[in-house]
Amino acid sequence: MEKATFISVLSLALTAALLATGGVDGCDGAPRMSAVDACKQASTANVMRQLCAAMLGTSPEPKEVTGYVFAAMDSNIAQFLISYEAADKVRQDPASPEQLSAACETCMGKYDLAKMKMVYSGDRLRSCDMSPVTREDLLTAVVGIDDCATLLLNAAGVLSPLRRMVLLDRDRAVLLLQLAILLLPNKS
């Protein structure tokens, strides 16, 4: 757990530095807005707006949306590591039912894929490539995490603490996708 805590603190520090410096700045055509406005546009409900504000802060100063996307991406990847480690712990627990262990193993693969898709998207955005492939990759990440939540529902039920973690990860991944959509022209 110490490793996960360290990764979380490191990610939050990097996110704060990214937001303080304005992050990647200078992609032609990238919108600028405050964190508050970005969260309003990316959120579909008040609870999602609160989650977004926790990830991005509430600065009224306009910044390029790309910085918010990177902050959300870093936050997601750090949280994914914590959930991945929790799934691995449940998977390795001899007391875990076979169906739950199998679901956790599948979830670990889905988290690996989601992280990879986010990293690829970040690489494209760092070079100001705002192609629809980024939207597709981030959607694939959301779907994978949602699939994991469904597997855990079937294996462990509604009250599973791991499933609740995964549902929060899914919501965070949806916010990342919604923030990226603010950047990406709708060409597909």
Side-chain angles (χ1 to χ4, degrees):
M1 191 56 94
E2 288 178 13
K3 180 180 176 186
T5 302
F6 172 76
I7 296 293
S8 292
V9 170
L10 179 63
S11 176
L12 289 174
L14 290 172
T15 298
L18 183 67
L19 289 175
T21 62
V24 174
D25 208 15
C27 291
D28 289 338
R32 296 180 64 81
M33 63 184 71
S34 69
V36 172
D37 288 338
C39 287
K40 280 181 187 174
Q41 291 188 38
S43 303
T44 56
N46 192 42
V47 71
M48 292 293 270
R49 219 172 355 269
Q50 292 171 3
L51 181 60
C52 185
M55 286 191 331
L56 303 182
T58 57
S59 171
E61 184 180 326
K63 298 193 187 298
E64 190 172 299
V65 172
T66 312
Y68 300 133
V69 171
F70 283 121
M73 194 174 296
D74 289 347
S75 179
N76 271 278
I77 289 171
Q79 186 59 45
F80 282 9
L81 176 62
I82 294 167
S83 299
Y84 181 96
E85 289 176 352
D88 192 33
K89 187 174 182 179
V90 171
R91 180 186 66 83
Q92 292 183 35
D93 185 348
S96 292
E98 188 176 318
Q99 183 183 11
L100 179 57
S101 293
C104 287
E105 187 168 340
T106 302
C107 283
M108 292 168 66
K110 292 188 178 290
Y111 269 92
D112 281 339
L113 177 63
K115 180 183 170 194
M116 180 181 70
K117 293 293 188 176
M118 286 184 183
V119 168
Y120 289 164
S121 296
D123 288 347
R124 280 191 297 278
L125 289 174
R126 275 182 190 78
S127 62
C128 296
D129 175 356
M130 297 183 196
S131 66
V133 175
T134 298
R135 181 176 38 241
E136 293 163 12
D137 280 352
L138 293 175
L139 180 58
T140 298
V142 170
V143 169
I145 301 305
D146 189 58
D147 287 349
C148 175
T150 302
L151 288 169
L152 291 171
L153 172 65
N154 293 333
V158 174
L159 300 178
S160 162
L162 181 57
R163 180 175 175 269
R164 286 187 292 227
M165 286 177 71
V166 171
L167 287 172
L168 182 58
D169 290 346
R170 182 211 47 212
D171 291 347
R172 294 165 64 93
V174 167
L175 278 171
L176 170 59
L177 173 62
Q178 292 293 100
L179 287 165
I181 286 173
L182 297 175
L183 283 174
L184 303 171
N186 193 5
K187 293 181 181 176
S188 60

